Structure formats: C-alpha cells, structure tokens
Amino acid sequence: MKTLIAVSLCLTALLCGVAFGDEPVLKDVFAKHFLMGAALNDDVVSGNDVNAAAIVEKHFNTITPENVMKWGVVHPEPNKYNFAAADRLVAFGQKNKMFIVGHTLVWQNQIPRWAFVDDSNYLLGRDAMLARMKDHIFTVIGRYKGKVNGWDVVNEALSDEGTFRKTKWLETVGDDFIAKAFEYAHEADPNAELYYNDFSLDKPAKRDATVRLVKDLKSKDLRIDGVGIQGHWGMNYPSREDLEAFINAMAELGMKVMITELDVDVLPSANQYRGADINVRVELQKELNPYVNGLPDDVQQKLTDRYAELFAILVKNADKIDRVTFWGVYDKTSWLNDWPVRGRTSYPLLFDRNYKPKPAFDAVIKTTPSK
Ligand code: XIL
C-alpha cells in the first residue's frame, strides 16, 4: 500500500512537472531568523492537493487555517459546532510537529448574522453578547487546548484612521470587547500565546492606535504575546520606514511581531485601495487581469526584486520578528485570484501554479547570510 502511494505520488509529480526536493528548504534557511509558515485550505490537509501538502511538509514549520476555524465554519448555528475541517488541520500540524496558529476568534467577517441577534432578531445587549463570545472562545480554544499554540484572538478591530472599526462587536459590547476577548482566551488556555492581528499597520494612525491598544491591554494585566501584521502587500507599499517604525514600536512594548498573511500583489490596482478588507469588491474588467497566460519576464523580475527587498527588511529585523506566514501555498489557490476582483490570475506567492518555486523564491533564499 505504502509503495503504491509513493509510486502514485511520484507519478503525479512527474506528470505535473514537479521536481520535488532540489530547492533549499525555507524553514531551514530561515531557522535562525523566524518560523516560516503558510495558511492552508482544507484540500491541503484532506489529501485533495498532495503536491501542496508536500510543499508545506518540506518548507514550513508553522500553519494557520485559511478559513476553517472562522466562526462561520466552526459555529454555523447557535449551539451547533462543526470541527471536522479544523480537526483535520490540527492533526496535520501535530503529525508534522508544526507550530499551529488558530485564526480567528473575534472578527466581524465570516460570522453568521445570528451571532449578534436574539431569537426575535434584536441586536444582543452587552451581557448576552459577552456570554456568547465567551461560549465561542471557550468551546473553540477548549477543544484545541495544548494543541493550537497561538491564537489570533481579535482580527481587524481598528480602522485605518486609528479609531475602533464600526462593527457589531463594538456596537453590542463597547470598545472593551477586545479586552474581554483576551481575558476569555487566556482563561480558556493559559498556556496559549495570544495575538492581535490586522492589516495596514504601517499607516501611522493605525500604528499609534495599535500601540494604544497594546498598552491598554497590558495596563489591565491581560496577556497579549504579539501582534500580527497581515502583510497583504503591494509593489510599492509598505515603505521600509513605515514597516520598520511599526516593528520597532511593537518590539518596544515587548510584543512578538509576526507577518501573518504574506502575499505580494503584482496585478494592477483596482481602486488604489491598499488594505485587505474582504468586503471591498471591484468588478472584473479586462485591464485588471493582464497576465492570464503568465507573467511577462519584466514583471516577474519586478516581483522578484520586491520580494528580495521585503525579505531583506524582515531578515534585518529578525531579532524582533517571530514568524513569517504566507497566505496560501501556491499561486493557483491564493485568495488574490478572487479578491478584490473575482476571477483574476494572480501571482502573489513563492510557488507557481505548477507547484514550482518561482524566481522570487530564490531571491528570498538569498536574503539570508546563512546560506
Ligand atoms: C480570506 C480567505 O483567504 C478567503 O478564502 C476568504 O474567502 C476570505 O478571507 N484578512 C484575514 C483573512 O484575516 O482571514 C482573510 O482570509 C484575508 C484578509
């Protein structure tokens, strides 16, 4: 049976033109710098995408579920939890001795409408909402206690202007919903690391708001271990200065800094928007999807240079950075094929549509002096 699996794996690899094995191993090359990871969809862990699984097992020592731990998946109805896919992901991570990140407990997206209302469809009051939040956090963290190593407790609670984002969490509970989420998460698993995660943290107003948030949580004696910079980046943002300013501000507060959702968008901007709000949508137009048949060499080179530039910054600041996680494994299944424009051909990761390491992969490897 084992031989059969091995033969069919090799056959798949040959047919798809995959050369497993000869490129350097990301997690080894960066071992002295930070953990290297990827967000996984269910196909990767369930055996439907064995080539992607092979990349993950070879190159990464930390994983994050791309979707399967979000409220809408694990808690689709009141009093009904569904952990099938999340269990598979955790088992995959444990089998491979990986650092497992839970994503995410308190977020305003990918959460069903019922979560914020009572049986008569009225918005919940503070106490009822907090009770529901606590039940959710205790149930999800409780199931993976001792298995999931760190949690994105709260995701995207700040606006780009540095105010609290106007969400149902804020409306029902008030602005201490963040503190409450961290309090419950720590109660649910005192040994788990707890993070705040957001995008566009290089924007000075958002940086300052994150500093205030971390100070506020610490002043309340709450556990917060780190802050995740999502890292949905572009060809000319963030700037080195702004990125380093954020990394330094967090390090000064004793926070672990993590790049949690890295991808680099090479496609023409649909609307000059630089954030990662999944509600932003732009209609598909031909000029927004110029590389359907592959990246021209000059664009490939620009992407390669951009990856080199970004990793040079990360390596330089490696003493403050704990983990770098890509938002996906290879270009074909990146969420950027469908966001903010549905149906584009996107090239944001280090492995191409045929699972092959791209020139950007080699450039990233070269940013570290250890190899
Ligand atoms: C994205 C997933 O990649 C998509 O598959 C899904 O349809 C929408 O959400 N910020 C986050 C992630 O914190 O959870 C989002 O993931 C991308 C933006």
Side-chain angles (χ1 to χ4, degrees):
M1 185 64 188
K2 267 193 184 148
T3 333
L4 203 65
I5 294 173
V7 170
S8 64
L9 267 179
C10 292
L11 209 61
T12 325
L14 281 176
L15 290 177
C16 303
V18 183
F20 285 131
D22 41 8
E23 77 278 5
V25 175
L26 282 173
K27 66 182 177 198
D28 295 344
V29 171
F30 289 93
K32 289 205 195 86
H33 300 90
F34 24 70
L35 296 177
M36 288 292 267
L40 310 187
N41 61 38
D42 193 39
D43 282 345
V44 180
V45 293
S46 66
N48 288 334
D49 194 346
V50 287
N51 293 330
I55 291 178
V56 176
E57 287 175 352
K58 172 171 176 179
H59 287 286
F60 299 118
N61 46 21
T62 170
I63 56 170
T64 306
E66 183 174 355
N67 286 300
V68 302
M69 274 189 196
K70 290 170 180 171
W71 191 305
V73 179
V74 294
H75 196 177
E77 289 166 38
N79 306 318
K80 188 183 156 206
Y81 283 88
N82 169 18
F83 287 115
D87 285 356
R88 277 195 286 278
L89 179 121
V90 172
F92 179 91
Q94 287 204 293
K95 185 183 91 194
N96 290 295
K97 301 192 169 38
M98 291 163 165
F99 187 93
I100 305 172
V101 179
H103 175 85
T104 176
L105 297 162
V106 172
W107 190 27
Q108 57 278 4
N109 291 316
Q110 296 181 275
I111 178 168
R113 235 190 69 82
W114 66 259
F116 298 105
V117 297
D118 64 16
D119 292 345
S120 320
N121 225 5
Y122 286 112
L123 209 58
L124 290 184
R126 175 181 163 87
D127 291 346
M129 192 69 233
L130 282 175
R132 191 164 280 177
M133 179 203 268
K134 186 171 181 178
D135 163 71
H136 180 83
I137 290 179
F138 269 58
T139 307
V140 180
I141 295 195
R143 186 175 185 89
Y144 301 114
K145 196 170 173 175
K147 296 180 179 168
V148 167
N149 307 87
W151 288 93
D152 288 341
V153 179
V154 177
N155 198 31
E156 302 177 357
L158 299 171
S159 75
D160 287 8
E161 293 72 41
T163 57
F164 289 110
R165 196 176 274 279
K166 306 254 169 307
T167 68
K168 289 272 179 287
W169 288 111
L170 185 71
E171 198 178 335
T172 50
V173 177
D175 58 23
D176 67 339
F177 80 89
I178 305 175
K180 284 292 179 191
F182 277 85
E183 181 188 316
Y184 299 150
H186 184 53
E187 266 176 64
D189 183 356
N191 294 321
E193 293 194 351
L194 306 180
Y195 319 126
Y196 175 72
N197 193 54
D198 212 328
F199 58 80
S200 294
L201 295 177
D202 51 290
K203 294 198 167 180
K206 211 162 178 177
R207 175 187 71 219
D208 294 346
T210 311
V211 167
R212 286 196 297 275
L213 174 64
V214 170
K215 282 187 174 162
D216 178 59
L217 296 177
K218 286 171 62 141
S219 75
K220 295 183 166 117
D221 276 333
L222 292 166
R223 173 168 184 171
I224 173 167
D225 296 85
V227 172
I229 305 171
Q230 287 187 4
H232 297 294
W233 288 335
M235 299 301 285
N236 53 14
Y237 62 90
S239 71
R240 165 190 287 276
E241 293 70 27
D242 290 343
L243 180 56
E244 288 191 330
F246 185 81
I247 293 171
N248 289 332
M250 287 302 121
E252 267 171 41
L253 293 172
M255 290 292 100
K256 291 182 175 174
V257 180
M258 293 152 296
I259 314 298
T260 55
E261 306 186 11
L262 180 57
D263 42 31
V264 179
D265 197 354
V266 76
L267 295 182
S269 165
N271 53 1
Q272 308 310 315
Y273 175 66
R274 291 178 168 205
D277 183 341
I278 68 167
N279 301 304
V280 172
R281 290 271 163 206
V282 177
E283 214 178 301
L284 179 62
Q285 300 150 53
K286 219 168 170 224
E287 58 273 24
L288 295 179
N289 193 22
Y291 311 128
V292 183
N293 299 316
L295 270 191
D297 288 349
D298 59 326
V299 185
Q300 183 82 267
Q301 189 56 51
K302 280 188 191 138
L303 177 67
T304 303
D305 294 346
R306 181 61 175 147
Y307 256 112
E309 184 175 54
L310 288 166
F311 264 80
I313 301 173
L314 301 182
V315 166
K316 183 183 150 221
N317 291 283
D319 57 328
K320 300 163 207 128
I321 298 175
D322 220 53
R323 165 167 68 91
V324 176
T325 296
F326 290 88
W327 204 241
V329 179
Y330 66 122
D331 285 344
K332 192 175 168 192
T333 53
S334 160
W335 77 301
L336 292 181
N337 293 302
D338 284 306
W339 181 91
V341 184
R342 227 179 269 280
R344 291 200 293 182
T345 307
S346 194
Y347 299 85
L349 298 167
L350 295 187
F351 294 88
D352 72 13
R353 286 183 156 61
N354 296 315
Y355 306 95
K356 287 213 182 80
K358 292 159 54 170
F361 176 96
D362 302 325
V364 160
I365 295 284
K366 285 192 197 127
T367 57
T368 154
S370 70
K371 279 267 151 64

